Short mmCIF file of all heavy atoms in Angstrom, two decimals:
data_model
loop_
_atom_site.label_atom_id
_atom_site.label_comp_id
_atom_site.label_asym_id
_atom_site.label_seq_id
_atom_site.Cartn_x
_atom_site.Cartn_y
_atom_site.Cartn_z
N SER A 288 161.76 191.15 102.36
CA SER A 288 163.01 190.46 102.67
C SER A 288 163.58 189.89 101.38
O SER A 288 162.90 189.82 100.37
CB SER A 288 162.78 189.34 103.69
OG SER A 288 161.91 188.34 103.18
N GLY A 289 164.84 189.50 101.42
CA GLY A 289 165.46 188.83 100.29
C GLY A 289 166.49 189.63 99.54
O GLY A 289 167.13 189.11 98.62
N GLY A 290 166.66 190.90 99.88
CA GLY A 290 167.64 191.70 99.19
C GLY A 290 169.06 191.29 99.54
O GLY A 290 169.29 190.53 100.47
N GLY A 291 170.01 191.80 98.78
CA GLY A 291 171.40 191.49 99.03
C GLY A 291 172.28 191.90 97.88
O GLY A 291 171.87 192.64 96.98
N LEU A 292 173.52 191.44 97.92
CA LEU A 292 174.51 191.72 96.89
C LEU A 292 174.63 190.53 95.95
O LEU A 292 174.83 189.39 96.39
CB LEU A 292 175.87 192.01 97.53
CG LEU A 292 177.06 192.18 96.59
CD1 LEU A 292 176.87 193.42 95.72
CD2 LEU A 292 178.35 192.27 97.38
N VAL A 293 174.48 190.79 94.65
CA VAL A 293 174.57 189.73 93.65
C VAL A 293 175.43 190.20 92.49
O VAL A 293 175.59 191.40 92.25
CB VAL A 293 173.19 189.30 93.13
CG1 VAL A 293 172.37 188.68 94.25
CG2 VAL A 293 172.46 190.47 92.50
N GLN A 294 175.99 189.24 91.75
CA GLN A 294 176.78 189.54 90.57
C GLN A 294 175.89 189.84 89.37
O GLN A 294 174.76 189.34 89.29
CB GLN A 294 177.70 188.37 90.24
CG GLN A 294 178.68 188.01 91.35
CD GLN A 294 179.71 189.09 91.57
OE1 GLN A 294 180.32 189.58 90.63
NE2 GLN A 294 179.89 189.47 92.82
N PRO A 295 176.35 190.65 88.43
CA PRO A 295 175.58 190.84 87.19
C PRO A 295 175.27 189.49 86.54
O PRO A 295 176.12 188.62 86.47
CB PRO A 295 176.51 191.68 86.32
CG PRO A 295 177.36 192.42 87.30
CD PRO A 295 177.58 191.45 88.45
N GLY A 296 174.04 189.35 86.08
CA GLY A 296 173.59 188.10 85.51
C GLY A 296 173.02 187.13 86.52
O GLY A 296 172.45 186.10 86.13
N GLY A 297 173.14 187.45 87.78
CA GLY A 297 172.64 186.60 88.84
C GLY A 297 171.16 186.77 89.09
O GLY A 297 170.48 187.53 88.40
N SER A 298 170.67 186.05 90.09
CA SER A 298 169.25 186.05 90.41
C SER A 298 169.04 186.33 91.89
O SER A 298 169.90 186.06 92.73
CB SER A 298 168.61 184.70 90.06
OG SER A 298 168.68 184.44 88.67
N LEU A 299 167.86 186.85 92.19
CA LEU A 299 167.49 187.14 93.56
C LEU A 299 165.97 187.06 93.66
O LEU A 299 165.27 187.41 92.70
CB LEU A 299 167.97 188.54 93.96
CG LEU A 299 168.22 188.85 95.43
CD1 LEU A 299 169.30 187.93 96.00
CD2 LEU A 299 168.64 190.30 95.59
N ARG A 300 165.47 186.60 94.80
CA ARG A 300 164.03 186.50 95.01
C ARG A 300 163.64 187.32 96.23
O ARG A 300 164.10 187.05 97.34
CB ARG A 300 163.61 185.05 95.20
CG ARG A 300 162.09 184.85 95.22
CD ARG A 300 161.75 183.46 95.73
NE ARG A 300 160.36 183.11 95.51
CZ ARG A 300 159.70 182.19 96.22
NH1 ARG A 300 160.33 181.51 97.17
NH2 ARG A 300 158.43 181.92 95.94
N LEU A 301 162.78 188.31 96.01
CA LEU A 301 162.27 189.13 97.09
C LEU A 301 160.91 188.61 97.55
O LEU A 301 160.14 188.10 96.75
CB LEU A 301 162.13 190.59 96.65
CG LEU A 301 163.35 191.25 96.03
CD1 LEU A 301 163.05 192.71 95.72
CD2 LEU A 301 164.56 191.14 96.96
N SER A 302 160.64 188.77 98.84
CA SER A 302 159.36 188.36 99.41
C SER A 302 158.76 189.53 100.17
O SER A 302 159.47 190.34 100.75
CB SER A 302 159.54 187.17 100.35
OG SER A 302 160.07 186.05 99.68
N CYS A 303 157.43 189.58 100.19
CA CYS A 303 156.71 190.60 100.94
C CYS A 303 155.52 189.96 101.62
O CYS A 303 154.66 189.37 100.96
CB CYS A 303 156.24 191.72 100.01
SG CYS A 303 155.21 192.97 100.82
N VAL A 304 155.48 190.07 102.94
CA VAL A 304 154.38 189.54 103.73
C VAL A 304 153.49 190.69 104.20
O VAL A 304 153.98 191.66 104.77
CB VAL A 304 154.90 188.75 104.94
CG1 VAL A 304 153.74 188.24 105.79
CG2 VAL A 304 155.77 187.59 104.49
N ALA A 305 152.20 190.57 103.94
CA ALA A 305 151.23 191.59 104.34
C ALA A 305 150.41 191.10 105.52
O ALA A 305 150.06 189.92 105.61
CB ALA A 305 150.31 191.94 103.17
N SER A 306 150.09 192.02 106.41
CA SER A 306 149.23 191.70 107.54
C SER A 306 148.31 192.90 107.81
O SER A 306 148.59 194.02 107.40
CB SER A 306 150.05 191.37 108.79
OG SER A 306 150.86 192.47 109.17
N GLY A 307 147.20 192.65 108.49
CA GLY A 307 146.24 193.69 108.77
C GLY A 307 144.97 193.50 107.96
O GLY A 307 144.49 192.38 107.81
N SER A 308 144.46 194.60 107.43
CA SER A 308 143.20 194.59 106.68
C SER A 308 143.45 194.19 105.23
O SER A 308 143.25 194.97 104.31
CB SER A 308 142.51 195.94 106.77
OG SER A 308 142.21 196.29 108.11
N ILE A 309 143.86 192.95 105.05
CA ILE A 309 144.22 192.46 103.72
C ILE A 309 143.03 192.47 102.77
O ILE A 309 143.19 192.64 101.56
CB ILE A 309 144.83 191.05 103.82
CG1 ILE A 309 145.97 191.04 104.83
CG2 ILE A 309 145.31 190.59 102.45
CD1 ILE A 309 147.07 192.03 104.50
N PHE A 310 141.83 192.31 103.30
CA PHE A 310 140.63 192.25 102.46
C PHE A 310 140.39 193.54 101.68
O PHE A 310 139.66 193.53 100.69
CB PHE A 310 139.40 191.93 103.31
CG PHE A 310 139.18 192.88 104.44
CD1 PHE A 310 138.49 194.06 104.25
CD2 PHE A 310 139.66 192.59 105.72
CE1 PHE A 310 138.28 194.95 105.28
CE2 PHE A 310 139.45 193.46 106.77
CZ PHE A 310 138.77 194.65 106.55
N SER A 311 140.99 194.63 102.13
CA SER A 311 140.78 195.92 101.49
C SER A 311 141.74 196.19 100.33
O SER A 311 141.58 197.17 99.61
CB SER A 311 140.90 197.06 102.50
OG SER A 311 142.23 197.18 102.98
N ILE A 312 142.73 195.34 100.16
CA ILE A 312 143.76 195.57 99.15
C ILE A 312 143.24 195.29 97.75
O ILE A 312 142.65 194.24 97.50
CB ILE A 312 145.01 194.72 99.45
CG1 ILE A 312 145.64 195.17 100.77
CG2 ILE A 312 146.02 194.84 98.31
CD1 ILE A 312 146.82 194.32 101.20
N LYS A 313 143.48 196.24 96.85
CA LYS A 313 143.09 196.08 95.45
C LYS A 313 144.19 195.41 94.64
O LYS A 313 143.91 194.60 93.76
CB LYS A 313 142.76 197.43 94.83
CG LYS A 313 141.60 198.16 95.50
CD LYS A 313 140.30 197.42 95.31
CE LYS A 313 139.11 198.26 95.74
NZ LYS A 313 139.12 198.56 97.20
N HIS A 314 145.42 195.76 94.92
CA HIS A 314 146.55 195.14 94.24
C HIS A 314 147.80 195.29 95.09
O HIS A 314 147.86 196.13 95.99
CB HIS A 314 146.76 195.74 92.85
CG HIS A 314 147.10 197.19 92.87
ND1 HIS A 314 146.16 198.18 92.69
CD2 HIS A 314 148.29 197.82 93.03
CE1 HIS A 314 146.75 199.36 92.75
NE2 HIS A 314 148.05 199.16 92.95
N MET A 315 148.77 194.47 94.79
CA MET A 315 150.07 194.57 95.44
C MET A 315 151.14 194.65 94.37
O MET A 315 150.95 194.20 93.25
CB MET A 315 150.33 193.37 96.36
CG MET A 315 149.37 193.29 97.53
SD MET A 315 149.81 192.01 98.72
CE MET A 315 151.34 192.70 99.39
N GLY A 316 152.25 195.25 94.74
CA GLY A 316 153.30 195.38 93.76
C GLY A 316 154.64 195.71 94.36
O GLY A 316 154.80 195.79 95.58
N TRP A 317 155.59 195.86 93.46
CA TRP A 317 156.96 196.21 93.83
C TRP A 317 157.38 197.50 93.15
O TRP A 317 157.13 197.68 91.95
CB TRP A 317 157.93 195.09 93.45
CG TRP A 317 157.79 193.85 94.27
CD1 TRP A 317 157.04 192.75 93.98
CD2 TRP A 317 158.44 193.59 95.52
NE1 TRP A 317 157.18 191.81 94.98
CE2 TRP A 317 158.02 192.31 95.94
CE3 TRP A 317 159.31 194.31 96.33
CZ2 TRP A 317 158.46 191.73 97.13
CZ3 TRP A 317 159.74 193.74 97.51
CH2 TRP A 317 159.32 192.46 97.90
N TYR A 318 157.99 198.38 93.91
CA TYR A 318 158.60 199.60 93.41
C TYR A 318 160.07 199.59 93.78
O TYR A 318 160.50 198.82 94.65
CB TYR A 318 157.93 200.84 94.00
CG TYR A 318 156.54 201.13 93.50
CD1 TYR A 318 155.46 200.32 93.84
CD2 TYR A 318 156.30 202.25 92.69
CE1 TYR A 318 154.19 200.59 93.39
CE2 TYR A 318 155.02 202.53 92.24
CZ TYR A 318 153.97 201.71 92.59
OH TYR A 318 152.71 201.99 92.15
N ARG A 319 160.83 200.44 93.13
CA ARG A 319 162.24 200.58 93.51
C ARG A 319 162.66 202.03 93.39
O ARG A 319 162.09 202.81 92.63
CB ARG A 319 163.14 199.69 92.65
CG ARG A 319 163.21 200.08 91.17
CD ARG A 319 164.00 199.04 90.39
NE ARG A 319 164.13 199.40 88.99
CZ ARG A 319 164.65 198.60 88.07
NH1 ARG A 319 165.10 197.39 88.41
NH2 ARG A 319 164.74 199.00 86.81
N GLN A 320 163.68 202.38 94.17
CA GLN A 320 164.20 203.73 94.15
C GLN A 320 165.71 203.69 94.31
O GLN A 320 166.23 203.20 95.31
CB GLN A 320 163.58 204.58 95.27
CG GLN A 320 163.98 206.04 95.21
CD GLN A 320 163.12 206.91 96.11
OE1 GLN A 320 162.50 206.42 97.04
NE2 GLN A 320 163.08 208.20 95.82
N ALA A 321 166.40 204.21 93.31
CA ALA A 321 167.85 204.32 93.34
C ALA A 321 168.23 205.71 93.83
O ALA A 321 167.43 206.65 93.73
CB ALA A 321 168.43 204.07 91.95
N PRO A 322 169.44 205.88 94.37
CA PRO A 322 169.86 207.19 94.87
C PRO A 322 169.74 208.27 93.81
O PRO A 322 170.19 208.10 92.68
CB PRO A 322 171.32 206.96 95.26
CG PRO A 322 171.40 205.51 95.59
CD PRO A 322 170.47 204.85 94.61
N GLY A 323 169.11 209.38 94.17
CA GLY A 323 168.96 210.50 93.26
C GLY A 323 167.89 210.33 92.21
O GLY A 323 167.73 211.20 91.35
N LYS A 324 167.14 209.24 92.26
CA LYS A 324 166.10 208.98 91.27
C LYS A 324 164.74 208.84 91.95
O LYS A 324 164.65 208.60 93.16
CB LYS A 324 166.41 207.72 90.47
CG LYS A 324 167.74 207.76 89.73
CD LYS A 324 167.94 206.54 88.86
CE LYS A 324 166.97 206.53 87.68
NZ LYS A 324 167.24 205.38 86.77
N GLU A 325 163.69 209.01 91.16
CA GLU A 325 162.34 208.87 91.67
C GLU A 325 161.98 207.41 91.85
O GLU A 325 162.53 206.53 91.19
CB GLU A 325 161.34 209.54 90.73
CG GLU A 325 161.51 211.04 90.60
CD GLU A 325 160.48 211.66 89.68
OE1 GLU A 325 159.63 210.92 89.14
OE2 GLU A 325 160.52 212.89 89.50
N ARG A 326 161.06 207.17 92.76
CA ARG A 326 160.52 205.83 92.93
C ARG A 326 159.79 205.41 91.67
O ARG A 326 159.00 206.18 91.12
CB ARG A 326 159.58 205.81 94.13
CG ARG A 326 159.11 204.43 94.56
CD ARG A 326 158.09 204.57 95.69
NE ARG A 326 158.58 205.41 96.77
CZ ARG A 326 157.81 205.96 97.70
NH1 ARG A 326 156.50 205.75 97.69
NH2 ARG A 326 158.35 206.71 98.65
N GLU A 327 160.03 204.19 91.20
CA GLU A 327 159.41 203.73 89.97
C GLU A 327 158.74 202.38 90.17
O GLU A 327 159.18 201.55 90.97
CB GLU A 327 160.43 203.64 88.84
CG GLU A 327 161.53 202.62 89.06
CD GLU A 327 162.46 202.47 87.87
OE1 GLU A 327 162.09 202.94 86.77
OE2 GLU A 327 163.55 201.90 88.04
N LEU A 328 157.68 202.18 89.42
CA LEU A 328 156.96 200.92 89.46
C LEU A 328 157.76 199.83 88.77
O LEU A 328 158.29 200.03 87.68
CB LEU A 328 155.60 201.07 88.77
CG LEU A 328 154.77 199.80 88.59
CD1 LEU A 328 154.30 199.27 89.94
CD2 LEU A 328 153.57 200.07 87.69
N VAL A 329 157.84 198.67 89.41
CA VAL A 329 158.52 197.52 88.83
C VAL A 329 157.51 196.50 88.33
O VAL A 329 157.57 196.06 87.18
CB VAL A 329 159.48 196.86 89.85
CG1 VAL A 329 160.11 195.61 89.25
CG2 VAL A 329 160.55 197.85 90.29
N ALA A 330 156.59 196.10 89.19
CA ALA A 330 155.59 195.09 88.83
C ALA A 330 154.42 195.17 89.78
O ALA A 330 154.58 195.55 90.94
CB ALA A 330 156.21 193.69 88.86
N VAL A 331 153.23 194.80 89.29
CA VAL A 331 152.03 194.74 90.12
C VAL A 331 151.28 193.46 89.81
O VAL A 331 151.39 192.90 88.72
CB VAL A 331 151.09 195.96 89.92
CG1 VAL A 331 151.77 197.24 90.37
CG2 VAL A 331 150.66 196.06 88.47
N ILE A 332 150.49 193.00 90.79
CA ILE A 332 149.67 191.81 90.63
C ILE A 332 148.37 192.02 91.38
O ILE A 332 148.35 192.61 92.46
CB ILE A 332 150.41 190.54 91.11
CG1 ILE A 332 149.62 189.28 90.73
CG2 ILE A 332 150.68 190.60 92.60
CD1 ILE A 332 150.40 187.99 90.95
N THR A 333 147.26 191.54 90.81
CA THR A 333 145.95 191.61 91.45
C THR A 333 145.55 190.23 91.95
O THR A 333 146.17 189.22 91.60
CB THR A 333 144.89 192.13 90.49
OG1 THR A 333 144.63 191.14 89.48
CG2 THR A 333 145.33 193.42 89.82
#
């Protein structure tokens, strides 16, 4: 959640809530994909 329309130079905060077998997760992260482009890694955290 947290996406939207912002002006250049602005800020936005995205959130991700995980549920289920959380104990099995090695890391979590954010990826992004623009139209016509491949999905790319943005950031990861352990």
